[in-house]
Amino acid sequence: MDNFCWLYEKPTCQGRIKAQPEHFVVKENLGFDFAGQGEHFMVKIRKTGENTKYVVNELAKACGVKSRDVSWAGLKDRHAVTEQWLSVHLPGKPDPDLTQFVAEHPGIEVLETTRHDKKLRPGDLIGNWFQLRLLELDKPDELTAKLEQVKCHGVPNYYGEQRFGHNGNNVVKARSWGNNEFRVRDKSKRSFYLSAARSWLFNMVLSARIEQGNVHSLMLGDSLQNTGEDNGFLAETLSPELQTSIDEGRVNITAPLVGDNALPTQADAEAFELAVIEQEPLLLKLIRDNRMRHERRPLLLKPQEMEWQFDGDDLVLDFSLPAGCFATSVVRELIIEREDDDHANFNQ
């Protein structure tokens, strides 16, 4: 991530992140209610130190179904305490007794169960709530101003380290695949490498805009989105009214999640984006060969419900983020993780 620019300059405060799973708490927000009946058994779990797919496999065994019959809205970090819903397809069957399942897995708790008429699918959530404890800060007095900046103006909406794998290995593999050095048949690996390729290009464009000082400023031909909406529209003129809407957070400037079709941007914005993404020809070739659909993502991310308090040299930080956004991108603007923290791993 050191390849990418900071919005408020690189932090000077160092600290520890995820010293314990309890220092990184995540609670899922689906944004809808369950029907209370249906062929899908819904299970709300709290897991500590386990990844979602492991829990899915173990829950499937406990319910007497295949792993493919258990689904989720979002994968959650292993090195954390996380709460999320899982759905188990059990048509015509009673709710299973999960007592033994809980007894055999001390890192997993069942918080609630119900029924629903539809399975959960990846992306079926509106966001997540986080509570982080950042430990042993060497310059806590310098954080208050940064925290206020982040609360008021947001952070770069970067994809976090975990998207790129250990030491960026997913991006390295994606380049090699794009160079026809090997074939990837495994479905999950294909997804990892393609996601890493598009995420890397997005981060490059975002970083370049920060570097040139125009992350908040409208460029002619920018692709824009009204806040809370996915449909885009073009900046056909550099109108003061449109810039005001951006400044006030009602309109977002976006950057590309590159696909095999042409960029939707025009004029200056299109030239800018092309100049950046064409620095990675192998990643572009891979994306186009796999016929991925072009999408857009806002440049900036503004945490909601953001609160904090200091506890000696520790910081306890609460905030909510939309689905697909990374808490590590918020932390990155605040502190530098100590290099000796080999236990703090965002890559799984």
Side-chain angles (χ1 to χ4, degrees):
M1 294 297 292
D2 283 353
N3 287 278
F4 307 123
C5 294
W6 283 264
L7 184 57
Y8 307 112
E9 298 183 349
K10 185 174 181 177
T12 58
C13 179
Q14 294 190 11
R16 298 175 63 199
I17 305 169
K18 287 190 180 179
Q20 302 292 334
E22 293 78 11
H23 298 159
F24 200 96
V25 177
V26 187
K27 295 183 180 182
E28 184 177 75
N29 181 8
L30 294 180
F32 61 89
D33 296 323
F34 297 123
Q37 60 185 9
E39 59 186 41
H40 299 279
F41 178 53
M42 316 302 290
V43 186
K44 186 178 184 180
I45 62 161
R46 179 189 292 129
K47 61 183 185 63
T48 303
E50 305 287 2
N51 66 46
T52 302
K53 289 188 176 180
Y54 169 78
V55 177
V56 163
N57 292 336
E58 295 303 299
L59 182 61
K61 294 176 188 176
C63 295
V65 299
K66 303 285 188 182
S67 292
R68 66 173 177 267
D69 295 319
V70 183
S71 56
W72 60 89
L75 296 174
K76 296 292 184 286
D77 201 292
R78 175 182 177 183
H79 300 280
V81 176
T82 65
E83 294 182 10
Q84 69 180 119
W85 284 94
L86 303 174
S87 67
V88 187
H89 192 211
L90 291 174
K93 297 180 181 180
D95 293 358
D97 183 352
L98 298 178
T99 304
Q100 189 64 25
F101 166 72
V102 172
E104 293 175 353
H105 300 87
I108 305 172
E109 301 171 68
V110 173
L111 304 179
E112 188 179 347
T113 62
T114 187
R115 285 274 179 164
H116 195 46
D117 51 7
K118 296 178 182 178
K119 68 180 283 187
L120 286 177
R121 299 180 183 276
D124 283 350
L125 73 164
I126 61 173
N128 296 285
W129 176 85
F130 299 86
Q131 183 176 80
L132 313 182
R133 178 176 281 269
L134 310 181
L135 277 71
E136 301 173 12
L137 304 171
D138 63 352
K139 299 177 182 177
D141 293 343
E142 296 185 7
L143 276 184
T144 300
K146 278 276 183 78
L147 288 162
E148 292 290 352
Q149 283 181 309
V150 168
K151 183 174 183 177
C152 293
H153 304 294
V155 299
N157 195 15
Y158 284 130
Y159 286 95
E161 287 183 15
Q162 56 268 55
R163 178 57 60 94
F164 306 119
H166 184 60
N167 291 328
N169 186 62
N170 289 347
V171 180
V172 175
K173 290 287 189 180
R175 292 191 187 107
S176 298
W177 182 14
N179 200 33
N180 298 317
E181 295 175 21
F182 62 90
R183 292 185 177 183
V184 182
R185 301 189 185 278
D186 182 88
K187 194 172 181 179
S188 62
K189 287 186 177 180
R190 291 176 67 92
S191 177
F192 285 145
Y193 299 157
L194 289 168
S195 294
R198 292 213 303 173
S199 301
W200 188 261
L201 294 176
F202 173 88
N203 280 11
M204 287 178 61
V205 173
L206 172 50
S207 180
R209 287 193 75 136
I210 294 173
E211 186 175 22
Q212 295 200 7
N214 60 6
V215 72
H216 295 102
S217 303
L218 191 65
M219 294 178 69
L220 187 63
D222 261 329
S223 179
L224 308 174
Q225 291 176 349
N226 289 317
T227 298
E229 299 179 9
D230 292 332
N231 293 333
F233 62 98
L234 287 179
E236 297 178 351
T237 62
L238 298 179
S239 72
E241 294 80 11
L242 194 51
Q243 183 63 56
T244 298
S245 296
I246 292 168
D247 295 340
E248 294 177 352
R250 290 180 281 114
V251 172
N252 298 314
I253 305 171
T254 69
L257 292 172
V258 179
D260 65 345
N261 46 336
L263 294 174
T265 44
Q266 295 180 358
D268 296 346
E270 180 186 24
F272 180 88
E273 292 180 356
L274 284 173
V276 175
I277 64 176
E278 286 176 352
Q279 297 173 35
E280 289 279 4
L282 296 178
L283 297 185
L284 282 177
K285 178 180 181 297
L286 178 66
I287 290 166
R288 290 165 179 165
D289 286 350
N290 283 272
R291 303 187 62 82
M292 300 191 76
R293 182 171 61 89
H294 187 98
E295 298 174 277
R296 304 294 295 188
R297 178 179 171 93
L299 293 176
L300 297 176
L301 168 65
K302 191 171 182 180
Q304 301 299 308
E305 304 171 288
M306 185 171 168
E307 299 179 353
W308 63 85
Q309 61 181 10
F310 289 94
D311 182 7
D313 291 335
D314 296 352
L315 171 69
V316 180
L317 177 63
D318 300 356
F319 54 86
S320 296
L321 298 179
C325 297
F326 290 74
T328 49
S329 295
V330 177
V331 175
R332 183 177 182 269
E333 289 290 329
L334 299 173
I335 71 169
I336 297 295
E337 183 182 359
R338 295 189 192 281
E339 293 183 359
D340 59 353
D341 280 356
D342 56 4
H343 57 269
N345 186 344
F346 290 113
N347 302 322
Q348 299 185 39

